[in-house]
Amino acid sequence: MAFIALTSIFDIIGPGEVIPRRLLGLVTMVVFLTVGSWHVVDRHREDLAFYAPRHTVQLIGLRTWLESGWNEIPAWRIDLGGDQEQPLTVQWAGSPDALAEYLVSNGWHAPPALNLKAFLGTLSPKTPIGDLPLFPHLHDGRFEEVLLVREEGNKRWVFRLWPTDVQLTETGEPLWVGTVETQIPHRIVDFITLAKDKGDYIEPLKSLAQTLRRGNWVGEMRQRIEKRPGRGKRGYLQWNGQVLLGTT
């Protein structure tokens, strides 16, 4: 397919002429979207089913979780390959829908749809950070069930929430874990701009905690001993080990 597209361009432009860089970037993006879409539709569900971990439900009381159980919850997001990716800075015992509704009423909103318009926006360096594509993330074999964003100048805060294998004995509902990351525009080649994780997990977490407290939601900070400042797989990581525990 890539060969056919490039051959067509040469036929249109003619021999000896320079292919405009923006046109070449557009063709590359179209080929990427086409091949990627085919892979997602044809193989992605099979891959997830094959590699997905087997989950065992664990029960915990709300009081136990608040006092010490929170520290037994894994501190890092685990991708499909089993690698540690991002710190899980939020634990939530309550309705994820109610939390999402409250955050939307306080300046957060759904990310842009992953469509052709969003991908074409990556070809312009002037595309606002809020219009750049936002891709889903896996944790422990599951996609996030809450995904919200909030723009702050030329950066974007991204809030994700995943269910865990831990259930609260009082309600039978799962405990949720999440992360709040900071994204900035990043030019990966001369003609493509994507949103990049800046590695700052401190500032957006503080803002989220303040938002919850304004609404009389229970939001308490806990301090993990484990933290990982410095450079990691995703670049420079700013996390002080704090975890926000939230309940309705």
Side-chain angles (χ1 to χ4, degrees), residues 69-101:
W70 67 271
N71 202 34
E72 302 299 321
I73 305 298
W76 299 91
R77 180 176 74 84
I78 305 299
D79 66 9
L80 192 59
D83 297 325
Q84 293 182 347
E85 290 287 342
Q86 299 167 296
L88 295 171
T89 57
V90 178
Q91 295 184 21
W92 177 253
S95 166
D97 294 334
L99 175 60
E101 183 179 351

Side-chain angles (χ1 to χ4, degrees), residues 147-164:
L147 179 57
L148 296 173
V149 297
R150 177 172 179 169
E151 289 76 30
E152 295 288 334
N154 199 35
K155 59 187 176 183
R156 176 170 68 185
W157 290 343
V158 180
F159 175 60
R160 307 174 192 265
L161 205 62
W162 298 268
T164 71

